[in-house]
Amino acid sequence: MSSEDTASAMDVTASSASVESTSTSTTNYQRGVVPIKPEFLCAAVPVRKGEGEESIAQLSEAVEKEGDESRVDEDKGDENEVNKNRKRESKSKHVKNDRKKRNGGGGQTQDRVVTRRIEDEVQLCFKVAKGVECEHGDSCKFNHDVKKYLDAKDKDLGNRCPNFEILGECHYGYKCRFLSAHMDSDGNLIRDEEKMARVGPQTLNALPHDLTIQLRSFKFEFKRAEAYLKQMADEMAEASSKQKEAAQENPSKGEDLEPESRDVKIPKVSSSSIQEEVTQSDTPDVPLRECEKKKIDFRGKTYLAPLTTVGNLPFRRICKEYGVDITCGEMAMAANLIQGHKGELALLRRHKSEDIFGVQLTGNKVDVVARACDMINQVTEVDFVDLNMGCPIDLVFNVGAGSGLLGSPGKMKRMVRGMKSVLDVPVTVKFRMAIYDKKPIGTHMTPIFHDLGAALATLHGRSRQQRYTKLADWDYIKECAMTDRGIPGSDNYMPLFGNGDILGYTDYYRHLEEHNVDGCMIARGALMKPWIFDEIKTRRDWDISSGERFDMMKRFCDYGMEHWGSDTQGVNQTRRFLLEWQSFLHRYVPVGLLEVLPQKMNDRPPAFVGRNDLETLMASQDVKDWIKLSEMILGPAPEAFRFDPKHKANSTSVEG
């Protein structure tokens, strides 16, 4: 950042308070609309009342609407045809609604078009592509003719390969779309042995294929989890026996039992599925005592929320560059992990720059979550494991996972105890203030998490029913912060972080000072402006230039091709994730264009022009312009490439 930019940013910080106080007293702004200086506004359809509270990615509906209008215009010439089309559309609408009812509901993402896998015309064997002999020989189902592959391959996208530049070699060899960067004039692949030895692995928790085979063939040993499950089954059987005896002695007494006792159910598990009691002689891996386990002081640290799809490893690297302290992987399904799903196991990866990194799990069965934690404890390097009790997605909630766990306190307690029993790292929890509106349970749940020994609790100030609409209730978060969580500074103290609607450093510090939280987790605010972590640490509103933002996007693409690959599939995967991120990035309004600082999360920006063409392009709501931005970095998109934003409607599930 240049000294001129720094001075400009400091001027913005110094004047922000006066701008806000003077502007709000003299001008009436439309509710839910970002107040932009008049000279930057352009003619646009006015924002209707209430639209400012709609979800982030609903802006992408404008593209679909444009297509619908063009089809209607073509039909205007024939009134009878129009009537027929209306009948068909009406029938189609009813069919779609019936389908949604049968499937338990659905949002705008239900009919989302998914881009098909784009592959090379000639399928070159991956080992041959790396310059290694294939052990399958002629029986290999892939092509071994490198010359034939290169003749049919699309031309390179550039002469700089991010993988070769960073690692000293490119794992994609001849399949790389930047092949000229690491192929000599004789057609041989180049490797920088010195750099390879010096740099070392950049990504941790890249699990071997053998682990996948072990998990899928049920040969992986979950010793700690099995020991806990046996102990839990014995305790539940004893509790059930006592409950029956108490009911026989005094039938009315059963009504006064604690919720946990009423929730106890003996699992239907065959005796053969539970291992014999574990002893010291056959278990050298004795669980650590609580005092021996790793401890993290979370207080006062910035925390990037686990974000589904968009919270990928390349994005987390960007946030680390801007100063975030704590990162967490995307929400992983515990059941998929222990079944060896490669896509789910990939969510456990961390970059070496992520010095405080956690994994977030969700699940609806105690035994499954315990086994997943046992596996994570054995084969990965993580600093904490988080249990998700906030995900509002129907698919997750309806099976009793995510925010559905809040409705099963007994099962939730056994799950957290199981996690603590098998893990050598801290267990944290993330939850919502309620399942249903006007029925908050946060003040009841917070002390329970403290009693269970959670190292950190993060509270999202919305109910599951709200999802992401309306504002987060920080006053209620304060009520939860005032509950008994131990003595600050002591070993048994449980920090509480708040989450919801933070888009500026003033929001962050206001919540710390006024709502008694120990820190804040930032989700959508980081997607719209990852440099928010720099703003928090420097206490300024950064008027970041379009050029700096474009450089950030280029770095993301480099990290993406390092993570997903620099071959055809990897480049298009990187492009897709860049566009998913752009569905949030485009809502950012540059500081220099605002009449009032800071921008509010639920305010929707009207149509405006930037201070240069690039800034204007970055603010476009048109998916076509987003693809144009990606082509400025990754080259032309393939003809078969199509992008439909994943995060649509009020059910946008960016929370982990």
Side-chain angles (χ1 to χ4, degrees):
M1 185 176 180
S2 67
S3 58
E4 184 179 349
D5 290 335
T6 305
S8 174
M10 297 305 291
D11 290 341
V12 169
T13 304
S15 62
S16 61
S18 60
V19 170
E20 184 168 1
S21 61
T22 56
S23 297
T24 53
S25 62
T26 58
T27 309
N28 293 323
Y29 296 108
Q30 184 177 351
R31 182 182 176 184
V33 180
V34 178
I36 296 177
K37 295 176 181 178
E39 59 265 34
F40 296 106
L41 293 174
C42 58
V45 178
V47 178
R48 297 188 298 273
K49 183 179 180 181
E51 279 191 343
E53 295 183 351
E54 294 179 357
S55 70
I56 286 176
Q58 272 189 320
L59 295 176
S60 61
E61 292 178 0
V63 179
E64 298 174 354
K65 183 179 179 182
E66 180 182 353
D68 293 339
E69 288 176 347
S70 65
R71 286 193 294 272
V72 171
D73 289 340
E74 292 173 0
D75 293 334
K76 281 184 178 179
D78 189 341
E79 186 175 350
N80 294 329
E81 188 65 20
V82 170
N83 292 332
K84 291 179 182 178
N85 288 337
R86 286 175 179 170
K87 289 180 180 179
R88 283 196 294 268
E89 289 170 2
S90 177
K91 182 178 179 180
S92 176
K93 182 177 180 181
H94 288 303
V95 171
K96 185 185 293 185
N97 289 338
D98 290 342
R99 189 185 303 120
K100 288 182 180 180
K101 290 177 182 178
R102 289 196 301 271
N103 295 335
Q108 292 186 35
T109 56
Q110 180 164 289
D111 300 312
R112 177 176 181 249
V113 176
V114 179
T115 302
R116 67 177 178 85
R117 188 183 179 99
I118 299 174
E119 298 179 337
D120 294 321
E121 182 180 338
V122 176
Q123 295 293 295
L124 184 67
C125 173
F126 191 73
K127 288 197 173 182
V128 173
K130 295 172 65 176
V132 179
E133 184 178 351
C134 176
E135 67 273 17
H136 299 293
D138 295 337
S139 63
C140 180
K141 64 180 181 180
F142 296 105
N143 198 299
H144 285 189
D145 189 340
V146 174
K147 185 178 183 304
K148 180 180 179 181
Y149 170 78
L150 293 178
D151 290 341
K153 181 186 175 187
D154 292 334
K155 67 177 182 179
D156 281 2
L157 298 174
N159 56 6
R160 173 187 160 270
C161 173
N163 286 316
F164 181 75
E165 186 174 270
I166 296 170
L167 304 174
E169 72 167 335
C170 178
H171 294 292
Y172 298 88
Y174 293 109
K175 294 171 74 72
C176 178
R177 296 301 306 277
F178 307 89
L179 176 59
S180 59
H182 46 82
M183 185 177 73
D184 61 24
S185 56
D186 295 327
N188 299 314
L189 297 175
I190 302 172
R191 300 177 71 199
D192 189 336
E193 302 287 351
E194 182 182 347
K195 182 180 289 188
M196 290 168 58
R198 184 177 69 252
V199 173
Q202 301 292 297
T203 302
L204 308 177
N205 301 339
L207 304 177
H209 182 63
D210 290 346
L211 174 66
T212 303
I213 296 175
Q214 279 186 306
L215 291 168
R216 291 179 178 178
S217 59
F218 306 103
K219 293 181 180 179
F220 189 87
E221 295 187 358
F222 303 97
K223 290 186 177 180
R224 289 190 183 183
E226 300 298 347
Y228 170 75
L229 294 173
K230 184 179 186 306
Q231 177 188 347
M232 182 187 73
D234 292 342
E235 292 174 353
M236 293 171 67
E238 183 179 354
S240 178
S241 178
K242 290 181 179 179
Q243 183 177 338
K244 289 179 181 178
E245 291 176 3
Q248 291 175 356
E249 294 176 3
N250 187 358
S252 63
K253 189 176 179 180
E255 299 176 0
D256 300 326
L257 292 174
E258 290 295 321
E260 183 180 5
S261 300
R262 292 201 305 269
D263 188 61
V264 170
K265 296 179 181 179
I266 300 177
K268 296 180 180 179
V269 182
S270 62
S271 58
S272 60
S273 66
I274 300 179
Q275 292 184 352
E276 296 181 359
E277 186 172 357
V278 182
T279 62
Q280 286 279 17
S281 60
D282 63 2
T283 310
D285 182 23
V286 179
L288 298 176
R289 293 177 297 172
E290 195 63 34
C291 61
E292 297 174 327
K293 292 185 178 182
K294 179 176 183 176
K295 287 182 170 55
I296 300 175
D297 186 3
F298 291 98
R299 293 174 298 172
K301 291 181 171 62
T302 52
Y303 190 169
L304 172 65
L307 301 160
T308 303
T309 303
V310 281
N312 47 66
L313 186 146
F315 173 75
R316 299 198 304 270
R317 288 182 64 178
I318 294 292
C319 291
K320 282 300 298 182
E321 291 176 348
Y322 287 119
V324 68
D325 297 314
I326 306 168
T327 56
C328 189
E330 302 172 58
M331 181 183 75
M333 301 289 184
N336 292 345
L337 287 176
I338 63 174
Q339 290 170 9
H341 291 200
K342 287 187 176 181
E344 216 72 22
L345 292 171
L347 300 180
L348 306 181
R349 295 185 181 183
R350 71 187 287 185
H351 189 258
K352 69 175 188 178
S353 64
E354 298 180 90
D355 44 354
I356 305 179
F357 171 78
V359 168
Q360 188 184 67
L361 298 180
T362 188
N364 64 343
K365 297 182 185 298
V366 178
D367 60 326
V368 172
V369 172
R371 290 186 178 97
C373 289
D374 196 352
M375 184 268 291
I376 289 170
N377 196 69
Q378 293 185 53
V379 302
T380 67
E381 296 180 34
V382 300
D383 299 299
F384 64 93
V385 177
D386 186 72
L387 178 62
N388 182 299
M389 287 179 277
C391 181
I393 301 175
D394 293 340
L395 183 67
V396 175
F397 175 81
N398 290 340
V399 297
S403 53
L405 273 176
L406 297 175
S408 304
K411 178 166 65 175
M412 178 274 295
K413 292 177 184 179
R414 293 191 295 275
M415 195 173 287
V416 174
R417 291 191 187 111
M419 294 173 68
K420 286 180 62 63
S421 175
V422 303
L423 288 167
D424 294 333
V425 295
V427 174
T428 65
V429 296
K430 187 174 188 295
F431 65 110
R432 286 186 174 239
M433 58 181 280
I435 295 178
Y436 305 104
D437 291 346
K438 300 180 181 179
K439 292 183 180 180
I441 57 175
T443 52
H444 171 68
M445 300 300 294
T446 304
I448 292 177
F449 295 137
H450 169 256
D451 294 340
L452 290 171
L456 170 70
T458 302
L459 175 58
H460 187 166
R462 291 182 175 90
S463 68
R464 185 262 170 181
Q465 195 172 5
Q466 276 181 268
R467 301 204 177 210
Y468 297 91
T469 59
K470 302 180 182 178
L471 296 176
D473 190 346
W474 278 90
D475 289 333
Y476 187 74
I477 293 177
K478 181 177 181 179
E479 290 182 36
C480 297
M482 300 300 290
T483 59
D484 183 15
R485 297 182 285 119
I487 302 172
S490 64
D491 289 340
N492 73 333
Y493 179 70
M494 184 190 75
L496 180 72
F497 276 35
N499 172 227
D501 304 334
I502 299 173
L503 194 56
Y505 81 93
T506 52
D507 297 330
Y508 180 88
Y509 287 108
R510 177 168 55 85
H511 294 319
L512 291 184
E513 295 166 5
E514 297 180 8
H515 299 109
N516 295 349
V517 291
D518 298 283
C520 296
M521 175 184 280
I522 302 176
R524 291 181 295 171
L527 291 172
M528 291 171 62
K529 42 183 281 190
W531 53 92
I532 187 175
F533 300 108
D534 181 276
E535 292 184 332
I536 289 170
K537 302 234 169 147
T538 58
R539 293 181 181 251
R540 61 174 176 142
D541 289 304
W542 183 0
D543 191 9
I544 186 170
S545 69
S546 58
E548 289 171 312
R549 291 161 61 195
F550 190 67
D551 287 341
M552 173 191 72
M553 296 170 72
K554 289 196 290 187
R555 294 198 306 276
F556 174 86
C557 291
D558 280 354
Y559 302 155
M561 288 185 285
E562 184 182 340
H563 183 62
W564 292 299
S566 56
D567 60 342
T568 298
Q569 293 178 25
V571 170
N572 285 302
Q573 189 83 322
T574 300
R575 189 190 307 275
R576 184 174 74 83
F577 281 107
L578 174 66
L579 295 173
E580 294 284 8
W581 184 22
Q582 183 61 24
S583 69
F584 293 91
L585 279 175
H586 83 276
R587 284 198 74 214
Y588 168 72
V589 179
V591 169
L593 277 60
L594 293 173
E595 289 221 309
V596 176
L597 299 176
Q599 180 181 351
K600 299 299 182 184
M601 176 67 72
N602 282 7
D603 285 357
R604 182 170 177 170
F608 68 91
V609 294
R611 291 164 291 191
N612 54 52
D613 291 342
L614 182 57
E615 198 166 72
T616 302
L617 183 64
M618 288 179 167
S620 173
Q621 300 174 9
D622 193 333
V623 174
K624 296 174 185 175
D625 289 331
W626 304 353
I627 294 177
K628 185 185 299 183
L629 275 170
S630 78
E631 291 180 330
M632 293 167 64
I633 305 172
L634 296 170
E639 292 183 8
F641 182 85
R642 182 174 177 182
F643 175 73
D644 197 13
K646 180 175 183 179
H647 293 294
K648 283 185 176 181
N650 291 335
S651 61
T652 300
S653 53
V654 299
E655 177 193 358

